[in-house]
């Protein structure tokens, strides 16, 4: 059984398929506790019922939309989700899996959308000592990220809130070794248009100077920070 927070039809607002109508399957539960998490109902305080594979596939294919995004929370904590991917592929869906890249799975997937968490994610002052320790022990797995990148198509999305964070991305990329510049995306941290604009005021220049892509969070501009979008 897989705990599901929500299944909905919207428009992808981040990354390579920005603007693409998509069905979203949001699993509930996460092995990390980023302080800035904008889906706490699927991580810090997970909500939703446990569902079987057939009911998840049925709900996701009620729309004919070819693109399905599996997100969370952290979808990779649910072993059975591989069966959902198999069933969706039988129905010719394009699958994007959004993950923090701390758990390796060899599932049917068309785009691994990996968002490795930087040191700026540690929930100091927000979580218990135990969770701070868990978070820091689990978040940095370049070996897993590398494996996922080797399994197929990928994009790397880094959440940044300062120039220091952006410099840490460069260190992280150096650790990874080989990577494709067109698949690396710098994403401003923020859940309001005002916050995103403030971040863009320095990040656009930084991206130009480092030949890396800026990846805005378009759904915030379109819908606000709302569930089901
Ligand atoms: S990995 Fe993602 S879902 Fe989990 S706490 Fe961090 S931001 Fe939230």
């Amino acid at each position: 059984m897989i705990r599901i927070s929500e299944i909905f039809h919207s428009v992808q607002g981040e990354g390579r398929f920005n603007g693409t109508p998509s069905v979203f399957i949001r699993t509930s539960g996460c092995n990390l506790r980023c302080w800035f998490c904008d889906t706490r109902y699927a991580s810090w305080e997970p909500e939703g019922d446990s569902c079987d594979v057939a009911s998840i596939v049925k709900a996701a294919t009620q729309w004919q939309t070819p693109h399905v995004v599996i997100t969370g929370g952290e979808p990779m904590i649910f072993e059975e989700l591989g069966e959902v991917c198999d069933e969706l592929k039988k129905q010719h869906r394009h699958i994007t899996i959004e993950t923090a890249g701390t758990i390796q799975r060899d599932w049917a997937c068309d785009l691994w959308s990996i968002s490795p968490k930087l040191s700026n994610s540690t929930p100091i002052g927000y979580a218990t000592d135990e969770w701070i320790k868990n978070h820091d022990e689990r978040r940095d797995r370049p070996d897993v990220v590398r494996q996922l990148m080797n399994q197929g198509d990928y994009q790397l999305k880094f959440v940044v809130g300062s120039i220091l964070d952006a410099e840490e991305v460069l260190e992280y990329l150096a650790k990874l070794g080989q990577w494709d510049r067109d698949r690396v995306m710098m994403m401003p941290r923020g859940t309001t248009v005002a916050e995103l604009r403030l971040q863009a005021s320095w990040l656009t220049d930084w991206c130009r100077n480092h030949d890396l892509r800026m990846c805005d969070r378009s759904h915030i501009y379109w819908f606000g920070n709302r569930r089901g979008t």
Side-chain angles (χ1 to χ4, degrees):
M1 301 291 273
I2 301 163
R3 196 168 188 187
I4 296 293
S5 161
E6 51 187 355
I7 296 177
F8 57 94
H9 187 224
S10 187
V11 180
Q12 174 62 280
E14 296 176 357
R16 192 186 312 168
F17 289 104
N18 191 344
T20 305
S22 304
V23 173
F24 292 79
I25 301 173
R26 187 184 303 287
T27 60
S28 192
C30 187
N31 59 341
L32 301 183
R33 288 292 183 272
C34 309
W35 68 266
F36 52 71
C37 184
D38 62 356
T39 53
R40 292 174 71 98
Y41 54 94
S43 57
W44 288 65
E45 294 128 22
E47 298 174 3
D49 295 330
S50 291
C51 305
D52 61 25
V53 170
S55 64
I56 295 168
V57 173
K58 187 174 175 201
T61 53
Q62 67 185 285
W63 301 278
Q64 291 306 308
T65 308
H67 280 258
V68 176
V69 180
I70 300 178
T71 187
E74 175 52 80
M76 308 285 250
I77 64 177
F78 296 102
E79 204 174 337
E80 272 181 279
L81 202 55
E83 294 171 42
V84 173
C85 296
D86 289 341
E87 292 303 315
L88 290 171
K89 282 317 293 176
K90 281 184 201 160
Q91 300 198 36
H92 310 291
R93 296 309 197 264
H94 177 286
I95 302 173
T96 297
I97 298 180
E98 298 188 331
T99 174
T102 62
I103 299 167
Q104 201 265 332
R105 302 282 189 194
D106 190 9
W107 293 339
C109 175
D110 297 287
L111 178 65
W112 293 102
S113 180
I114 312 164
S115 181
K117 296 300 178 270
L118 304 172
S119 59
N120 67 1
S121 63
T122 304
I124 295 169
Y126 294 90
T128 60
D129 288 349
E130 190 185 353
W131 262 113
I132 290 170
K133 185 167 169 284
N134 287 342
H135 180 92
D136 270 345
E137 283 174 359
R138 294 171 181 168
R139 73 168 177 80
D140 187 21
R141 291 295 306 272
D143 55 324
V144 173
V145 171
R146 163 62 48 209
Q147 274 180 296
L148 295 172
M149 289 164 69
N150 289 340
Q151 277 173 207
D153 202 358
Y154 71 89
Q155 63 187 12
L156 295 171
K157 292 188 301 184
F158 293 96
V159 178
V160 294
S162 69
I163 290 180
L164 275 181
D165 295 346
E167 300 293 327
E168 190 178 329
V169 172
L170 298 180
E171 289 166 26
Y172 188 91
L173 292 171
K175 254 190 320 195
L176 277 184
Q178 284 197 320
W179 44 274
D180 182 343
R181 190 167 291 279
D182 283 338
R183 291 180 164 85
V184 175
M185 302 182 186
M186 304 293 288
M187 195 159 67
R189 190 177 68 218
T191 54
T192 65
V193 170
E195 284 174 315
L196 293 176
R197 288 210 168 119
L198 189 65
Q199 296 291 351
S201 66
W202 65 270
L203 186 55
T204 43
D205 274 349
W206 191 94
C207 286
R208 190 179 57 207
N209 292 336
H210 292 82
D211 279 327
L212 287 172
R213 278 188 190 205
M214 165 95 176
C215 166
D216 220 335
R217 308 188 70 211
S218 303
H219 51 297
I220 301 290
Y221 291 85
W222 299 334
F223 309 117
N225 187 28
R226 284 198 292 119
R227 284 171 81 145
T229 58

